[in-house]
């Protein structure tokens, strides 16, 4: 009962784009995205609440395909500060919140 | 300022010992969560609570116990039954309405002596 993320890791050069995917075998009603730097708490990026919804946060945006039970996070023109581990999370029962295993993103100069 | 506080930042456990990790929030949130994170791994749900005096097991509850006697507090006890307790523990809280984000504490690193 956890969402599945892919890829596990991505290495980029500054200015390149990346896509991180999150899928679930069970119905998704909402998807959360967070970024975590090493040794720190995760930081909220965005929540998508319904199918087809897309949201943006600076050069980071996301989409949510309710029918396919998938969400994707798009990082455009990546910056060094985008490095970290990205997690998607969703709830299945009674206000639980479960996360995927994470995608480690490294942006190099 | 409102927030969620975890203490201590670092904790050491001896063999056979129970230890308790503190989590306090002054955000008036109903729901609280405990996650375990192993190096390079994701966040795994240990326990969560929606209201005072009620909590549910997550995916890795064995060897852990919690209480929710006050809305503000959700302490986690790592018991001697947890044979591999070394990990980074994160507490979080949020309002229970759909679409509310999680607020995380700064975490506790637990190590075994």
């Amino acid at each position: 009962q956890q969402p599945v993320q892919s890829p596990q890791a991505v290495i980029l050069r500054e200015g390149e784009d990346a896509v991180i995917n999150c899928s679930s075998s069970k119905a998704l009603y909402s998807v959360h995205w967070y970024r975590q730097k090493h040794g720190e708490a995760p930081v909220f990026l965005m929540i998508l609440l319904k199918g087809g919804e897309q949201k943006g946060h600076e050069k980071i945006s996301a989409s949510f395909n309710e029918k396919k039970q998938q969400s994707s996070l798009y990082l455009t023109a990546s910056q060094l500060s985008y490095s970290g581990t990205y997690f998607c999370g969703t709830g299945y029962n009674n206000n639980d919140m479960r996360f995927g295993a994470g995608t480690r993103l490294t942006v190099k100069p | 300022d409102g927030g969620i506080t975890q203490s201590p930042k670092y904790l050491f456990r001896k063999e056979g010992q129970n230890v308790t990790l503190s989590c306090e929030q002054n955000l008036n949130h109903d729901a609280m969560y405990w996650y375990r994170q192993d190096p390079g791994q994701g966040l795994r749900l240990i326990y969560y609570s929606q209201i005072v005096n009620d909590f549910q097991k997550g995916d890795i509850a064995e060897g852990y116990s919690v209480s929710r006697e006050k809305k503000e507090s959700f302490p986690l006890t790592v018991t001697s039954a947890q044979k591999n307790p070394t990990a980074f523990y994160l507490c979080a809280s949020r309002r229970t309405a759909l679409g509310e984000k999680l607020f995380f504490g700064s975490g506790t690193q637990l190590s075994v002596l």
Side-chain angles (χ1 to χ4, degrees):
Chain A
Q1 261 194 19
Q2 282 179 292
V4 177
Q5 283 185 239
S6 63
Q8 286 186 309
V10 183
I11 299 175
L12 300 173
R13 294 286 180 189
E14 268 189 296
E16 292 182 339
D17 302 340
V19 179
I20 299 171
N21 298 304
C22 177
S23 63
S24 173
S25 58
K26 298 181 75 172
L28 290 175
Y29 299 101
S30 67
V31 178
H32 295 223
W33 286 97
Y34 295 81
R35 177 174 63 209
Q36 185 183 32
K37 304 278 186 177
H38 181 69
E40 299 179 4
V43 171
F44 171 75
L45 294 176
M46 65 192 78
I47 294 174
L48 299 101
L49 288 179
K50 54 188 176 182
E53 186 172 18
Q54 298 190 18
K55 282 199 168 180
H57 178 77
E58 297 179 345
K59 292 181 182 177
I60 301 174
S61 61
S63 64
F64 181 15
N65 187 322
E66 193 175 338
K67 283 186 178 178
K68 292 186 177 180
Q69 296 172 183
Q70 293 176 345
S71 177
S72 295
L73 186 72
Y74 306 94
L75 299 107
T76 306
S78 58
Q79 306 167 12
L80 294 176
S81 62
Y82 286 4
S83 291
T85 301
Y86 289 78
F87 293 100
C88 69
T90 191
Y92 294 107
N93 305 294
N94 297 326
N95 262 304
D96 65 339
M97 175 57 62
R98 287 174 162 84
F99 290 91
T103 296
R104 182 176 296 179
L105 180 73
T106 304
V107 181
K108 296 186 174 181
Chain B
D1 288 340
I4 180 164
T5 302
Q6 288 187 243
S7 63
K9 191 170 178 63
Y10 299 98
L11 187 59
F12 297 91
R13 193 191 89 166
K14 294 180 181 179
E15 291 286 339
Q17 187 182 43
N18 292 352
V19 292
T20 298
L21 284 63
S22 171
C23 179
E24 303 274 337
Q25 53 95 3
N26 60 2
L27 300 165
N28 200 33
H29 288 168
D30 287 308
M32 297 188 73
Y33 306 78
W34 275 106
Y35 294 94
R36 169 179 171 143
Q37 188 172 33
D38 293 283
Q41 303 297 314
L43 305 169
R44 291 188 290 169
L45 182 63
I46 305 173
Y47 270 100
Y48 64 104
S49 168
Q50 299 178 77
I51 56 171
V52 173
N53 293 322
D54 186 49
F55 47 83
Q56 287 78 41
K57 292 182 179 180
D59 298 320
I60 55 166
E62 186 173 348
Y64 301 96
S65 66
V66 293
S67 63
R68 188 86 187 274
E69 297 176 1
K70 299 187 299 182
K71 188 175 186 177
E72 304 79 22
S73 179
F74 192 40
L76 174 74
T77 297
V78 184
T79 74
S80 57
Q82 173 51 248
K83 298 305 179 187
N84 184 22
T86 298
F88 187 55
Y89 291 86
L90 282 161
C91 179
S93 70
R94 66 170 176 173
R95 296 195 195 108
T96 52
L98 182 66
E100 293 289 336
K101 69 177 183 180
L102 288 176
F103 288 75
F104 283 91
S106 56
T108 294
Q109 175 64 50
L110 176 63
S111 302
V112 176
L113 288 175

